[in-house]
Amino acid sequence: MFDPHLWRRQFPILERKVHGKPLVYLDNAATTQKPLAVLDAERYYFEHFNANIHRGVHALSQEASEAFEGAREKVRAFLGAAHVEEIIFTRGATEAINLVAQTWGRTHLEAGDEILISAMEHHANIVPWQMLCEMTGARLKVIPMDERGVLLMDQVDHLLTARTRLVGITLVSNALGTVNPVVEIIRKAHAAGARVLVDGAQAVAHVAVDMVALGCDFFVFSGHKLYGPTGIGVLYGKKDLLTAMPPYQGGGDMILQVTFEKTTYNQIPYKFEAGTPHISGAIGLGAAIDFVRSVGLENIAAHEDRLLQEATERAQRVNGLRIIGTAPGKASIFSFVLEGIHPHDIGTILDSEGVAIRSGHHCAMPVMDYFHLPATARASFALYNTLEEVESLFQAIERVQKLFLN
Ligand code: PMP
């Protein structure tokens, strides 16, 4: 039986108080808290074998290199990728998408080509493609959604054309919680001759993925939304694509030989990892993956579903509360608005009660525009949240209403 109270002990930060109240941390879609296993792994690295990697012959450098490459292998296994060199460490999902846009994109797109994304993308999966369109003369097209936050899949067939080069799609929407039918989208895109980049930033902490089964060409995620450190993320790319792509940044580690006349590049994944990487971050991410696997993604997903169900039912009893994003089978993101109260005021008063949620556009302004809202309030659940915390959220919401509406 999954008991979040037991797992909470692994997260020291959850014991702290905010404004004299016990912290109720419900901003997990923005970033998750870190378990002791991750904190310990980073600290152990700094205490025992901190050194630069791949270069030194000395013991510390070799140990650091082994731990760094060991973390890469953990990511490979976690994603079900066929080859370890298909895993490139980046600063996060954002950098991974920019890498693909600036390397693969610049060499594969020309004027008149098309990029297809969805109506619920995070800005990180919109702006890099717009920048690429400006550089190449390509055009950005959008798969629309309905008011539940479900993509209009019947439109995909005519939106995909012979000019579509890439489809960029989020597996889980950070603003709505929708889990998109990426398998179907990948199948349709490939049939049309397009490549597919899946944004897994919100997905990997909730949904098991398998690159071989999924068949996507690129997949990105950030460590910090998976109970790992900030500043470390992953680009997965199919080996043949990555091998053919030009490098992203130039510098140390990404070269084989440098002369002033000509430089030859290293093989993948190093070709895309110029400069000293976030060594402790990668090691911390490896520890986060071990941690998530020890808890079990199926257990985490089932627990979060229970919390979401409780929140959804509890919301029926709150007058004037409207849930934004009601797709069937959605992930544990509970976005809402309260009639007559600005989401920022909700966030501020909830904070004074110790309840941390996010209020704003969630880096998905087009989603806010679609719903004619300036912002929403968003509670998002993780493995350590409890039913009691869901109740605390609603008590705080009722307090907001009392303050504003009486
Ligand atoms: N895509 C989605 C769906 C996200 O939720 C986020 C983070 N909010 C990102 C991309 C970007 O992730 P990061 O800021 O860690 O690069």
Side-chain angles (χ1 to χ4, degrees), residues 19-42:
H19 308 303
K21 311 266 170 62
L23 168 67
V24 176
Y25 186 78
L26 300 176
D27 194 16
N28 296 287
T31 200
T32 49
Q33 301 301 346
K34 319 304 171 199
L36 285 171
V38 170
L39 306 181
D40 290 347
E42 286 197 85

Side-chain angles (χ1 to χ4, degrees), residues 203-225:
V204 287
H206 315 281
V207 185
V209 290
D210 184 286
M211 292 304 107
V212 175
L214 211 52
C216 57
D217 301 285
F218 301 107
F219 185 95
V220 306
F221 75 92
S222 295
H224 70 96
K225 295 182 200 271

Side-chain angles (χ1 to χ4, degrees), residues 7 44 68 95 117 171 197-198 202 207 242 274 377 391 401:
W7 292 110
Y44 191 83
F68 184 77
E95 188 179 54
I117 60 171
L171 178 45
L197 179 144
V198 174
Q202 287 297 334
V207 185
L242 292 177
E391 184 51 32
Q401 288 191 312

Side-chain angles (χ1 to χ4, degrees), residues 11 18 31 41 63 66 70 81 83 102 110 124-125 134 143 224 230 267 282 287 298 324 339 356 381 387:
F11 294 83
V18 171
T31 200
E63 287 171 29
E66 269 168 36
H83 309 283
Q102 292 301 316
E110 55 185 47
N125 206 22
E134 274 175 30
I143 308 168
H224 70 96
T230 50
Q267 63 211 34
E298 352 45 80
I324 306 299
E339 207 178 315
F381 305 116
L387 287 169

